[in-house]
Amino acid sequence: MIAFSLLGPVRAWRDGAELPLGSPQQRTTLAVLLLREGLLTTMDELVDAIWPEDPPVAAVATVRTYLSRLRRLLPIATGVRIDWIGGGYVLTAPEGALDVEVFRKHTARAAEAMRRDDKRDAIAHLRAAVALHRGTPLAGAAGGYVDGQRARLAELCRGAALDLVALTVETGGHTEAIADLRAMVAEEPLRERCHALLMTALYRGGRQADALAHYRQVRRTLADELGVEPTPELQALHQRILLGAG
């Protein structure tokens, strides 16, 4: 009964009780090993992940100390192993213990459901995936490797959230989707898919004037920020809404 969370602060639980993972450097060590998902990580890679520049003289010894502490915190009885194999370390954990793995399975099942045109099942899996996102991924860990992984995981979470809200709009949940979409466009004002979905949700919810007003706002934002016009797809959506055919 072990669980790891990386789609938010780096955390771990055993039998429902949260484990003290120690310093940011120790959390980074654990996060790197978990993100490798059973693949080998060399000592050099761990040192570079924790100290991208100017590692301390005792960096290798310090990492070994972190690994020793993690082994004591995560004994083999939990199903977690941190083994030295062929010049590097491999962390193995029980299936379903890592939220990133569970997230990926739900999004894969959602995609499979969409291929079957089973929107209800797709929405259920996307909701389960989005529920795993608990804030900034990998919060509490640091370093260049972690920064890159944080951006990757955040983009995956945003993509799943967008797919969920798109399906919600498509299946008639306009009112439910509008609040989520307003938050999304506030967070990412240059992502046109969010704007298109919000305009669609407003129009289908009987708010044609609000949808048209939002398009005007988007057009001003793009002109001010990037000096460009909306994409042809967004312009076409605007025309359909203007003609009452959105």
Side-chain angles (χ1 to χ4, degrees):
M1 295 296 294
I2 193 80
F4 298 102
S5 173
L6 301 182
L7 296 175
V10 178
R11 303 171 73 186
W13 296 265
R14 182 181 182 185
D15 296 329
E18 187 164 2
L19 299 174
L21 295 181
S23 68
Q25 292 82 5
Q26 188 166 299
R27 289 171 185 267
T28 301
T29 303
L30 175 62
V32 171
L33 292 173
L34 286 169
L35 286 166
R36 298 286 289 169
E37 296 192 59
L39 298 178
L40 183 143
T41 306
T42 67
M43 176 60 77
D44 285 345
E45 288 172 330
L46 285 170
V47 169
D48 288 344
I50 300 167
W51 299 283
E53 298 179 1
D54 301 321
V57 174
V60 170
T62 303
V63 172
R64 286 178 177 152
T65 298
Y66 296 151
L67 292 166
S68 178
R69 291 173 181 167
L70 289 170
R71 285 191 179 106
R72 289 197 299 271
L73 192 65
L74 304 165
I76 293 175
T78 64
V80 178
R81 297 181 61 98
I82 302 176
D83 296 313
W84 171 263
I85 301 174
Y89 293 92
V90 174
L91 185 151
T92 54
E95 183 178 355
L98 178 61
D99 62 350
V100 175
E101 173 197 354
V102 178
F103 176 94
R104 189 170 57 245
K105 286 182 177 178
H106 278 303
T107 55
R109 288 169 182 165
E112 180 184 340
M114 285 303 297
R115 286 192 290 271
R116 301 193 310 269
D117 198 31
D118 187 345
K119 295 182 177 66
R120 179 177 296 180
D121 194 35
I123 286 173
H125 281 295
L126 285 170
R127 279 182 176 153
V130 170
L132 294 169
H133 184 203
R134 300 184 178 95
T136 302
L138 298 169
Y145 174 80
V146 167
D147 289 343
Q149 291 295 311
R150 179 178 294 117
R152 178 180 73 86
L153 294 175
E155 187 60 32
L156 288 175
C157 290
R158 280 193 293 268
L162 262 175
D163 288 343
L164 174 58
V165 79
L167 273 176
T168 303
V169 171
E170 187 176 340
T171 53
H174 314 123
T175 303
E176 175 187 352
I178 287 170
D180 290 336
L181 284 164
R182 287 203 184 281
M184 289 179 179
V185 299
E187 182 179 350
E188 296 188 274
L190 300 181
R191 188 179 286 244
E192 290 195 38
R193 185 185 178 196
C194 295
H195 294 296
L197 285 169
L198 179 54
M199 288 167 60
T200 301
L202 288 167
Y203 175 77
R204 292 183 182 175
R207 298 168 60 181
Q208 181 184 29
D210 288 340
L212 294 172
H214 187 75
Y215 176 80
R216 292 192 294 271
Q217 177 187 331
V218 174
R219 189 177 182 187
R220 285 194 300 270
T221 299
L222 291 173
D224 292 343
E225 297 290 334
L226 302 177
V228 299
E229 287 289 318
T231 60
E233 292 79 10
L234 199 60
Q235 293 183 44
L237 174 61
H238 170 250
Q239 285 299 312
R240 292 197 298 273
I241 291 174
L242 191 62
L243 297 172

